[in-house]
């Protein structure tokens, strides 16, 4: 199948964006402050891996040296398995002009499977990316890999990062770090934090009609937020959300108990005397039969970020 016959999907996380075939799905995701890793598979095998690490933008990276080290390790592993392995460095599958001036080096390898690889370094953000597109012998892999590699963007042009994974599609401020995520059949949740007290949670549930059978959205929200109800006095109002006027409830909460004296003292010293507040929105998307939740805990001055997240959210 050629790239023109392939349906493509866009993925985004932690400042990175790319296109991948729509029948590939994410099976692994790891994100820390300076590193990230993603793996995609189809129904038969691993098809794509990308790892990213941030170094100093002034630290020049020897891409050929890195590529040779990667291929040397792969060759040793193939030898242990008793498999033949061949490799080629600097295949020129992608050039600097195709990746907006980043330093780039492509390579290829063949063993039990075949692969097209790419290393690149961005002098603006300091990110070093290593990507592999994997296929089977006889597959027209170069064309597919070239389209995927040239679609990659390694940093946002503003302070907002797109997150487009597992049926979620929104923008989160770059100062928010992913601290946890959960992916199960019918349920996805991403949790972000900034410091010790500010957090953002986004979640998606499938089969909204079944979840709401015999109950209401506000009662379901109370179940979902039962841990937060221990710490916050939460009120709500019914709203119509989005251009499709989805049924939703808007949530407001204030802390039940004052902070400990020492914490309050530290807040005053750092001029952060405002108590944390909760703000949220939960709604049903009739177009996709899904439920969504966006929940922020932050100081009052941070609520404009919540509005930005909500306005960026695409549920269908």
């Amino acid at each position: 199948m050629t790239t023109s016959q392939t349906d493509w999907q866009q993925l985004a996380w932690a400042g990175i964006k790319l296109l991948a075939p729509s029948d590939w799905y994410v099976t692994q995701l790891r994100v820390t402050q300076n590193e990230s890793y993603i793996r995609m598979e189809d129904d038969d095998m691993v098809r794509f891996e990308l790892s990213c690490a941030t170094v100093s933008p002034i630290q020049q990276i020897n891409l050929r040296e890195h590529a040779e080290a990667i291929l040397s390790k792969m060759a040793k592993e193939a030898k242990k398995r008793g498999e033949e392995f061949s490799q080629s460095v600097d295949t020129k599958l992608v050039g600097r002009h195709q990746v907006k001036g980043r330093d780039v080096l492509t390579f290829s390898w063949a063993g039990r499977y075949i692969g097209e690889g790419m290393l690149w370094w961005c002098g603006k953000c300091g990110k070093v990316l290593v990507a592999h597109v994997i296929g089977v012998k006889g597959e027209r892999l170069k064309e597919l890999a070239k389209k995927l590699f040239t679609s990659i963007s390694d940093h946002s042009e503003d302070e907002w990062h797109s997150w487009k994974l597992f049926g979620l599609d929104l923008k989160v401020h770059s100062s928010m770090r992913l601290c946890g995520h959960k992916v199960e059949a019918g349920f996805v949740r991403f949790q972000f934090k900034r410091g010790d007290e500010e957090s953002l949670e986004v979640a998606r549930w499938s089969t909204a009609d079944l979840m709401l059978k015999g109950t209401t959205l506000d009662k379901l929200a109370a179940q979902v937020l039962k841990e937060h109800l221990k710490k916050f006095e939460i009120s709500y109002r019914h709203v119509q959300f989005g251009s499709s006027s989805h049924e939703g409830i808007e949530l407001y909460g204030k802390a039940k108990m004052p902070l400990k004296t020492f914490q309050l003292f530290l807040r005053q010293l750092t001029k952060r005397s405002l108590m944390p507040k909760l703000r949220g929105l939960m709604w049903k998307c009739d177009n996709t039969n899904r439920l969504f939740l966006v929940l922020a805990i932050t100081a009052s001055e941070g609520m404009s970020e919540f509005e930005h997240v909500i306005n960026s959210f695409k549920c269908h």
Side-chain angles (χ1 to χ4, degrees):
M1 181 178 291
T2 65
T3 56
S4 61
Q5 296 172 307
T6 302
D7 292 327
W8 294 78
Q9 59 178 320
Q10 186 183 68
L11 291 86
W13 71 98
I16 299 173
K17 291 182 181 179
L18 57 84
L19 295 175
S22 58
D23 59 350
W24 297 3
Y25 49 91
V26 177
T27 56
Q28 285 192 38
L29 174 69
R30 296 194 302 270
V31 180
T32 64
Q33 184 170 349
N34 294 315
E35 296 182 354
S36 69
Y37 170 82
I38 195 167
R39 174 187 287 182
M40 301 187 75
E41 302 180 14
D42 62 12
D43 292 336
D44 300 314
M45 56 182 284
V46 176
R47 297 306 307 258
F48 176 66
E49 290 182 298
L50 184 147
S51 59
C52 172
T54 303
V55 300
S56 170
I58 63 173
Q59 180 182 344
Q60 191 68 34
I61 303 298
N62 188 324
L63 297 183
R64 176 177 282 275
E65 189 176 282
H66 276 262
E68 289 174 348
I70 291 168
L71 292 169
S72 176
K73 182 179 179 181
M74 294 177 69
K76 289 178 182 178
E77 292 172 348
K79 186 176 181 180
K80 288 180 181 178
R81 296 191 298 266
E83 299 171 359
E84 293 185 357
F85 187 84
S86 61
Q87 62 192 55
S88 180
V89 179
D90 197 10
T91 58
K92 295 181 171 52
L93 181 65
V94 175
R96 280 177 60 92
H97 66 286
Q98 295 170 301
V99 291
K100 299 180 180 179
R102 276 91 167 174
D103 287 350
V104 62
L105 179 76
T106 55
F107 54 93
S108 62
W109 51 268
R112 181 181 178 186
Y113 300 101
I114 60 172
E116 297 292 333
M118 181 183 72
L119 267 159
W120 90 4
W121 173 72
C122 176
K124 184 175 181 180
C125 68
K127 285 180 180 173
V128 179
L129 272 64
V130 183
H132 292 266
V133 175
I134 304 163
V136 295
K137 293 178 180 179
E139 185 177 0
R140 297 178 62 178
L141 199 63
K142 288 185 181 294
E143 184 182 357
L144 188 149
K146 185 174 183 177
K147 178 166 181 175
L148 194 158
F149 290 159
T150 55
S151 76
I152 296 175
S153 173
D154 55 18
H155 62 262
S156 302
E157 295 301 326
D158 57 21
E159 59 186 354
W160 294 91
H161 285 172
S162 293
W163 289 81
K164 192 171 183 179
L165 295 166
F166 306 115
L168 293 172
D169 186 354
L170 69 154
K171 290 187 176 182
V172 176
H173 197 273
S174 59
S175 61
M176 284 280 187
R177 304 296 180 187
L178 183 71
C179 62
H181 69 282
K182 188 174 186 179
V183 181
E184 298 177 343
F187 176 68
V188 176
R189 180 178 64 203
F190 279 16
Q191 295 170 300
F192 301 87
K193 290 196 74 174
R194 178 170 51 215
D196 295 328
E197 297 167 357
E198 295 184 299
S199 64
L200 175 72
E201 179 178 335
V202 293
R204 171 188 66 76
W205 293 263
S206 301
T207 60
D209 52 352
L210 293 179
M211 292 188 67
L212 290 170
K213 189 174 182 179
T215 188
T216 60
L217 191 58
D218 50 312
K219 290 180 180 179
L220 183 61
Q223 295 176 21
V224 171
L225 301 174
K226 59 183 178 181
E227 290 300 316
H228 293 291
L229 285 168
K230 297 176 183 178
K231 301 177 182 179
F232 292 88
E233 295 178 2
I234 300 177
S235 58
Y236 69 91
R237 66 186 182 96
H238 289 274
V239 295
Q240 298 293 313
F241 172 69
S243 58
S244 299
S245 298
H246 295 317
E247 173 194 357
I249 54 172
E250 199 165 15
L251 304 156
Y252 301 87
K254 60 180 181 179
K256 286 184 176 180
M257 300 292 291
L259 296 175
K260 294 179 181 178
T261 304
F262 181 66
Q263 289 176 310
L264 183 58
F265 174 68
L266 289 179
R267 279 175 171 269
Q268 291 171 339
L269 285 180
T270 57
K271 298 181 180 180
R272 295 181 61 196
S273 58
L274 294 173
M275 298 288 284
K277 295 183 179 180
L278 179 146
R279 180 82 182 276
L281 183 67
M282 188 173 187
W283 72 96
K284 177 189 176 186
C285 175
D286 293 317
N287 302 69
T288 59
N289 191 32
R290 291 173 171 175
L291 288 172
F292 293 91
L293 171 70
V294 179
L295 192 70
I297 298 175
T298 183
S300 294
E301 64 264 26
M303 287 305 173
S304 60
E305 288 186 18
F306 172 80
E307 298 292 345
H308 191 106
V309 172
I310 290 296
N311 291 333
S312 74
F313 208 109
K314 298 176 182 176
C315 57
H316 62 270

